[in-house]
Amino acid sequence: MTTAKDLFIIAMDLKHSVGQGDLSLALAGAELIDLIGAGAVTVDGDRIVPGAPPTLDDRFMGEAAAGLTRQAPYERIEDWLWRRGRDLTAAYQAGLEEDGELKPQRSGRLSFGSERVEPVDTPARRRAAVRWEEKEPVLAALASVVGMDDERSDDEADLDDEVVTTVVAAVHDAVMELEAVRQRRTIENAAFANLWRGP
């Protein structure tokens, strides 16, 4: 089980509504942290330096490792988050549904309600729940960045690894940037609507 899968399962389990874009950036960060842990990459400043291709038994981690930039000057962490994070939430949802770890759940009693998914009670879901209950630092820090943990702020992360802290900080900055883009669009759309409405 990977940190990204655990984070995705926890996001599905919690009542919080997490934006797909925010979660995608956090999933990309979680994958990078796991690649660092597996010795597949190192971080030099803000650059991701690939090592020897690792043997990974997780399809998403394999895709992430295969997508690494293997030529100097290498990719910046921020650029990796945006590139790898594109539509990553949807990819995880599709992959876990395919593996039988998510099942459709219709809201309301009528059969034509909007379709949602929920995690199936599997060993993977139980492992994710244990990590969450134990407030495992990396999982908790990434969850906090996307607003899944109300009781903790992102500055409280007890991360004793400088490289992991760098990745979590980059995820935080990317999420803030995404929020700024959303706010700018909202303001522009409101101004455009007012223009058409007239005085």
Side-chain angles (χ1 to χ4, degrees), residues 70-89:
R70 297 196 167 271
Q71 292 178 334
Y74 305 115
E75 193 167 26
R76 292 170 60 239
I77 294 172
E78 181 187 358
D79 296 336
W80 156 269
L81 294 175
W82 288 107
R83 182 176 62 81
R84 176 64 186 159
R86 185 178 301 279
D87 299 325
L88 199 53
T89 298

Side-chain angles (χ1 to χ4, degrees), residues 3 130-141 152 159:
T3 302
V130 167
R131 279 183 83 183
W132 181 246
E133 283 160 18
E134 291 176 351
K135 294 293 180 196
E136 193 276 322
V138 172
L139 188 64
R152 155 193 199 111
L159 300 170

Side-chain angles (χ1 to χ4, degrees), residues 13 29 84 94 104 136 149 166 196:
D13 260 340
R84 176 64 186 159
E136 193 276 322
D149 190 352
T166 299
W196 279 102

Side-chain angles (χ1 to χ4, degrees), residues 5-196:
K5 271 191 184 171
D6 288 348
L7 183 65
F8 183 87
I9 288 170
I10 296 301
M12 293 291 101
D13 260 340
L14 292 178
K15 299 286 187 275
H16 280 292
S17 174
V18 181
Q20 278 207 6
D22 296 356
L23 185 56
S24 288
L25 290 166
L27 291 172
E31 287 183 343
L32 181 55
I33 288 168
D34 282 348
L35 287 172
I36 292 165
V41 300
T42 56
V43 170
D44 182 8
D46 67 345
R47 303 274 172 181
I48 302 166
V49 182
T55 306
L56 299 164
D57 59 359
D58 178 85
R59 136 176 71 175
F60 290 105
M61 292 300 294
E63 287 172 8
L68 291 166
T69 302
R70 297 196 167 271
Q71 292 178 334
Y74 305 115
E75 193 167 26
R76 292 170 60 239
I77 294 172
E78 181 187 358
D79 296 336
W80 156 269
L81 294 175
W82 288 107
R83 182 176 62 81
R84 176 64 186 159
R86 185 178 301 279
D87 299 325
L88 199 53
T89 298
Y92 267 84
Q93 180 171 327
L96 291 179
E97 280 187 77
E98 194 180 303
D99 295 343
E101 294 189 55
L102 291 177
K103 65 179 180 186
Q105 177 201 27
R106 292 194 178 276
S107 55
R109 291 185 213 164
L110 301 176
S111 60
F112 49 82
S114 63
E115 193 173 280
R116 298 182 60 232
V117 290
E118 64 179 3
V120 175
D121 188 21
T122 60
R125 182 186 186 184
R126 290 192 286 276
R127 277 195 304 271
V130 167
R131 279 183 83 183
W132 181 246
E133 283 160 18
E134 291 176 351
K135 294 293 180 196
E136 193 276 322
V138 172
L139 188 64
L142 288 167
S144 176
V145 166
V146 295
M148 284 163 52
D149 190 352
D150 291 336
E151 297 169 10
R152 155 193 199 111
S153 74
D154 1 321
D155 336 321
E156 293 176 17
D158 306 319
L159 300 170
D160 52 5
D161 186 314
E162 190 179 328
V163 174
V164 172
T165 303
T166 299
V167 174
V168 171
V171 173
H172 179 270
D173 291 347
V175 168
M176 291 297 99
E177 189 179 333
L178 186 59
E179 181 56 28
V181 169
R182 282 194 200 108
Q183 288 179 3
R184 195 163 56 244
R185 279 193 191 142
T186 302
I187 291 166
E188 285 168 359
N189 290 343
F192 187 71
N194 286 338
L195 182 68
W196 279 102

